[in-house]
Amino acid sequence: VQADPHNSATLPEEVHNREQAHPAGLMSRRSATNTDAAIDITKRLIAGGFAGALAKTVIAPLDRTKIIFQTSEKKFSARNVVHEILVIVNKEGITGLWRGNMATVLRVFPYAGIQ
């Protein structure tokens, strides 16, 4: 069935409504849908990346302390963890707890975005 595109009476109501919503016609609706899907995927990738980066940043002080224990002869205990955190803060300041975090964030961001 051929419909006259200039006569809205011969078009099904659904098609007519879509053309009104997208004045360029049905082809623009398809590309708009693809664009919307691409934007949605991009938003999800970025949101996932930021979530992963935030999680790693929050846990960074404990992660740094763990690495110190793994690379030294110090005995691991809760008391020693607190002591080591205080030593880091006294020597390097509070930002010392996040030393090396940028490398971790750069590694985690794309991985967390995909997940």
PDB file of all heavy atoms in Angstrom, residues 56 60 63-64 67 92 95-107:
ATOM      1  N   LYS A  56      38.305   2.931  44.243  1.00  0.00           N
ATOM      2  CA  LYS A  56      39.740   2.748  44.466  1.00  0.00           C
ATOM      3  C   LYS A  56      40.334   3.908  45.267  1.00  0.00           C
ATOM      4  O   LYS A  56      41.239   3.712  46.071  1.00  0.00           O
ATOM      5  CB  LYS A  56      40.481   2.611  43.134  1.00  0.00           C
ATOM      6  CG  LYS A  56      40.347   1.236  42.540  1.00  0.00           C
ATOM      7  CD  LYS A  56      40.983   0.208  43.461  1.00  0.00           C
ATOM      8  CE  LYS A  56      41.084  -1.135  42.822  1.00  0.00           C
ATOM      9  NZ  LYS A  56      41.731  -2.117  43.670  1.00  0.00           N
ATOM     10  N   ALA A  60      42.244   3.591  48.832  1.00  0.00           N
ATOM     11  CA  ALA A  60      43.681   3.790  48.581  1.00  0.00           C
ATOM     12  C   ALA A  60      44.557   3.804  49.836  1.00  0.00           C
ATOM     13  O   ALA A  60      45.637   3.194  49.827  1.00  0.00           O
ATOM     14  CB  ALA A  60      43.896   5.060  47.760  1.00  0.00           C
ATOM     15  N   ASP A  63      45.041   0.310  50.882  1.00  0.00           N
ATOM     16  CA  ASP A  63      45.773  -0.407  49.847  1.00  0.00           C
ATOM     17  C   ASP A  63      47.262  -0.066  49.912  1.00  0.00           C
ATOM     18  O   ASP A  63      48.115  -0.951  49.792  1.00  0.00           O
ATOM     19  CB  ASP A  63      45.201  -0.059  48.477  1.00  0.00           C
ATOM     20  CG  ASP A  63      45.528  -1.091  47.430  1.00  0.00           C
ATOM     21  OD1 ASP A  63      45.645  -2.274  47.779  1.00  0.00           O
ATOM     22  OD2 ASP A  63      45.648  -0.698  46.251  1.00  0.00           O
ATOM     23  N   ARG A  64      47.570   1.200  50.126  1.00  0.00           N
ATOM     24  CA  ARG A  64      48.985   1.605  50.250  1.00  0.00           C
ATOM     25  C   ARG A  64      49.615   0.936  51.470  1.00  0.00           C
ATOM     26  O   ARG A  64      50.739   0.440  51.403  1.00  0.00           O
ATOM     27  CB  ARG A  64      49.093   3.127  50.375  1.00  0.00           C
ATOM     28  CG  ARG A  64      50.490   3.573  50.711  1.00  0.00           C
ATOM     29  CD  ARG A  64      51.025   4.642  49.821  1.00  0.00           C
ATOM     30  NE  ARG A  64      52.454   4.796  50.030  1.00  0.00           N
ATOM     31  CZ  ARG A  64      53.013   5.833  50.622  1.00  0.00           C
ATOM     32  NH1 ARG A  64      52.281   6.836  51.036  1.00  0.00           N
ATOM     33  NH2 ARG A  64      54.314   5.881  50.779  1.00  0.00           N
ATOM     34  N   ILE A  67      50.400  -2.686  50.761  1.00  0.00           N
ATOM     35  CA  ILE A  67      51.592  -2.846  49.925  1.00  0.00           C
ATOM     36  C   ILE A  67      52.859  -2.667  50.763  1.00  0.00           C
ATOM     37  O   ILE A  67      53.854  -3.394  50.579  1.00  0.00           O
ATOM     38  CB  ILE A  67      51.545  -1.870  48.738  1.00  0.00           C
ATOM     39  CG1 ILE A  67      50.440  -2.315  47.779  1.00  0.00           C
ATOM     40  CG2 ILE A  67      52.886  -1.807  48.015  1.00  0.00           C
ATOM     41  CD1 ILE A  67      50.095  -1.296  46.716  1.00  0.00           C
ATOM     42  N   GLU A  92      54.659  12.266  55.345  1.00  0.00           N
ATOM     43  CA  GLU A  92      54.285  12.775  54.021  1.00  0.00           C
ATOM     44  C   GLU A  92      53.047  13.671  54.033  1.00  0.00           C
ATOM     45  O   GLU A  92      52.679  14.210  52.996  1.00  0.00           O
ATOM     46  CB  GLU A  92      54.041  11.599  53.077  1.00  0.00           C
ATOM     47  CG  GLU A  92      55.226  10.674  52.927  1.00  0.00           C
ATOM     48  CD  GLU A  92      54.905   9.475  52.062  1.00  0.00           C
ATOM     49  OE1 GLU A  92      54.112   9.624  51.106  1.00  0.00           O
ATOM     50  OE2 GLU A  92      55.443   8.393  52.343  1.00  0.00           O
ATOM     51  N   THR A  95      48.026  13.613  52.328  1.00  0.00           N
ATOM     52  CA  THR A  95      47.981  13.208  50.919  1.00  0.00           C
ATOM     53  C   THR A  95      48.910  12.031  50.626  1.00  0.00           C
ATOM     54  O   THR A  95      48.743  11.367  49.599  1.00  0.00           O
ATOM     55  CB  THR A  95      48.345  14.394  49.999  1.00  0.00           C
ATOM     56  OG1 THR A  95      49.635  14.879  50.361  1.00  0.00           O
ATOM     57  CG2 THR A  95      47.317  15.504  50.101  1.00  0.00           C
ATOM     58  N   GLY A  96      49.859  11.758  51.504  1.00  0.00           N
ATOM     59  CA  GLY A  96      50.745  10.613  51.337  1.00  0.00           C
ATOM     60  C   GLY A  96      50.004   9.289  51.329  1.00  0.00           C
ATOM     61  O   GLY A  96      50.495   8.299  50.776  1.00  0.00           O
ATOM     62  N   LEU A  97      48.822   9.276  51.938  1.00  0.00           N
ATOM     63  CA  LEU A  97      48.024   8.046  51.952  1.00  0.00           C
ATOM     64  C   LEU A  97      47.513   7.687  50.556  1.00  0.00           C
ATOM     65  O   LEU A  97      47.160   6.542  50.298  1.00  0.00           O
ATOM     66  CB  LEU A  97      46.850   8.186  52.923  1.00  0.00           C
ATOM     67  CG  LEU A  97      47.227   8.313  54.403  1.00  0.00           C
ATOM     68  CD1 LEU A  97      45.993   8.628  55.233  1.00  0.00           C
ATOM     69  CD2 LEU A  97      47.890   7.038  54.895  1.00  0.00           C
ATOM     70  N   TRP A  98      47.465   8.683  49.669  1.00  0.00           N
ATOM     71  CA  TRP A  98      46.966   8.454  48.311  1.00  0.00           C
ATOM     72  C   TRP A  98      48.090   8.433  47.285  1.00  0.00           C
ATOM     73  O   TRP A  98      47.840   8.499  46.096  1.00  0.00           O
ATOM     74  CB  TRP A  98      45.914   9.497  47.948  1.00  0.00           C
ATOM     75  CG  TRP A  98      44.617   9.214  48.605  1.00  0.00           C
ATOM     76  CD1 TRP A  98      43.603   8.457  48.116  1.00  0.00           C
ATOM     77  CD2 TRP A  98      44.185   9.665  49.893  1.00  0.00           C
ATOM     78  NE1 TRP A  98      42.578   8.398  49.020  1.00  0.00           N
ATOM     79  CE2 TRP A  98      42.909   9.140  50.123  1.00  0.00           C
ATOM     80  CE3 TRP A  98      44.757  10.460  50.876  1.00  0.00           C
ATOM     81  CZ2 TRP A  98      42.194   9.382  51.283  1.00  0.00           C
ATOM     82  CZ3 TRP A  98      44.047  10.710  52.026  1.00  0.00           C
ATOM     83  CH2 TRP A  98      42.779  10.168  52.221  1.00  0.00           C
ATOM     84  N   ARG A  99      49.333   8.337  47.747  1.00  0.00           N
ATOM     85  CA  ARG A  99      50.466   8.287  46.824  1.00  0.00           C
ATOM     86  C   ARG A  99      50.359   7.033  45.950  1.00  0.00           C
ATOM     87  O   ARG A  99      50.133   5.934  46.437  1.00  0.00           O
ATOM     88  CB  ARG A  99      51.767   8.247  47.614  1.00  0.00           C
ATOM     89  CG  ARG A  99      52.975   8.470  46.735  1.00  0.00           C
ATOM     90  CD  ARG A  99      54.178   8.704  47.597  1.00  0.00           C
ATOM     91  NE  ARG A  99      55.243   7.835  47.112  1.00  0.00           N
ATOM     92  CZ  ARG A  99      56.284   7.492  47.811  1.00  0.00           C
ATOM     93  NH1 ARG A  99      56.418   7.902  49.048  1.00  0.00           N
ATOM     94  NH2 ARG A  99      57.207   6.737  47.284  1.00  0.00           N
ATOM     95  N   GLY A 100      50.481   7.224  44.649  1.00  0.00           N
ATOM     96  CA  GLY A 100      50.361   6.118  43.704  1.00  0.00           C
ATOM     97  C   GLY A 100      48.935   5.828  43.277  1.00  0.00           C
ATOM     98  O   GLY A 100      48.704   4.953  42.446  1.00  0.00           O
ATOM     99  N   ASN A 101      47.983   6.571  43.797  1.00  0.00           N
ATOM    100  CA  ASN A 101      46.586   6.307  43.472  1.00  0.00           C
ATOM    101  C   ASN A 101      46.254   6.651  42.021  1.00  0.00           C
ATOM    102  O   ASN A 101      45.410   5.994  41.411  1.00  0.00           O
ATOM    103  CB  ASN A 101      45.657   7.069  44.426  1.00  0.00           C
ATOM    104  CG  ASN A 101      44.217   6.690  44.239  1.00  0.00           C
ATOM    105  OD1 ASN A 101      43.859   5.525  44.268  1.00  0.00           O
ATOM    106  ND2 ASN A 101      43.374   7.691  44.028  1.00  0.00           N
ATOM    107  N   MET A 102      46.898   7.666  41.453  1.00  0.00           N
ATOM    108  CA  MET A 102      46.574   8.058  40.074  1.00  0.00           C
ATOM    109  C   MET A 102      46.845   6.917  39.103  1.00  0.00           C
ATOM    110  O   MET A 102      46.050   6.673  38.192  1.00  0.00           O
ATOM    111  CB  MET A 102      47.366   9.307  39.678  1.00  0.00           C
ATOM    112  CG  MET A 102      47.033   9.802  38.278  1.00  0.00           C
ATOM    113  SD  MET A 102      45.286  10.157  38.021  1.00  0.00           S
ATOM    114  CE  MET A 102      45.130  11.671  38.902  1.00  0.00           C
ATOM    115  N   ALA A 103      47.932   6.208  39.283  1.00  0.00           N
ATOM    116  CA  ALA A 103      48.238   5.068  38.411  1.00  0.00           C
ATOM    117  C   ALA A 103      47.143   4.009  38.534  1.00  0.00           C
ATOM    118  O   ALA A 103      46.725   3.418  37.529  1.00  0.00           O
ATOM    119  CB  ALA A 103      49.597   4.479  38.767  1.00  0.00           C
ATOM    120  N   THR A 104      46.684   3.779  39.727  1.00  0.00           N
ATOM    121  CA  THR A 104      45.611   2.804  39.944  1.00  0.00           C
ATOM    122  C   THR A 104      44.317   3.257  39.277  1.00  0.00           C
ATOM    123  O   THR A 104      43.638   2.472  38.619  1.00  0.00           O
ATOM    124  CB  THR A 104      45.383   2.576  41.448  1.00  0.00           C
ATOM    125  OG1 THR A 104      46.603   2.136  42.034  1.00  0.00           O
ATOM    126  CG2 THR A 104      44.287   1.553  41.694  1.00  0.00           C
ATOM    127  N   VAL A 105      43.984   4.525  39.438  1.00  0.00           N
ATOM    128  CA  VAL A 105      42.751   5.070  38.840  1.00  0.00           C
ATOM    129  C   VAL A 105      42.827   4.974  37.320  1.00  0.00           C
ATOM    130  O   VAL A 105      41.846   4.586  36.673  1.00  0.00           O
ATOM    131  CB  VAL A 105      42.509   6.520  39.305  1.00  0.00           C
ATOM    132  CG1 VAL A 105      41.428   7.193  38.476  1.00  0.00           C
ATOM    133  CG2 VAL A 105      42.124   6.547  40.778  1.00  0.00           C
ATOM    134  N   LEU A 106      43.962   5.313  36.728  1.00  0.00           N
ATOM    135  CA  LEU A 106      44.104   5.220  35.271  1.00  0.00           C
ATOM    136  C   LEU A 106      43.971   3.782  34.780  1.00  0.00           C
ATOM    137  O   LEU A 106      43.477   3.537  33.676  1.00  0.00           O
ATOM    138  CB  LEU A 106      45.448   5.808  34.834  1.00  0.00           C
ATOM    139  CG  LEU A 106      45.579   7.317  34.983  1.00  0.00           C
ATOM    140  CD1 LEU A 106      46.995   7.761  34.641  1.00  0.00           C
ATOM    141  CD2 LEU A 106      44.556   8.054  34.137  1.00  0.00           C
ATOM    142  N   ARG A 107      44.380   2.843  35.582  1.00  0.00           N
ATOM    143  CA  ARG A 107      44.253   1.431  35.219  1.00  0.00           C
ATOM    144  C   ARG A 107      42.820   0.932  35.388  1.00  0.00           C
ATOM    145  O   ARG A 107      42.304   0.176  34.567  1.00  0.00           O
ATOM    146  CB  ARG A 107      45.202   0.585  36.089  1.00  0.00           C
ATOM    147  CG  ARG A 107      45.140  -0.900  35.824  1.00  0.00           C
ATOM    148  CD  ARG A 107      46.056  -1.674  36.766  1.00  0.00           C
ATOM    149  NE  ARG A 107      45.772  -1.468  38.177  1.00  0.00           N
ATOM    150  CZ  ARG A 107      44.829  -2.119  38.861  1.00  0.00           C
ATOM    151  NH1 ARG A 107      44.075  -3.002  38.270  1.00  0.00           N
ATOM    152  NH2 ARG A 107      44.660  -1.870  40.142  1.00  0.00           N
TER     153      ARG A 107
END
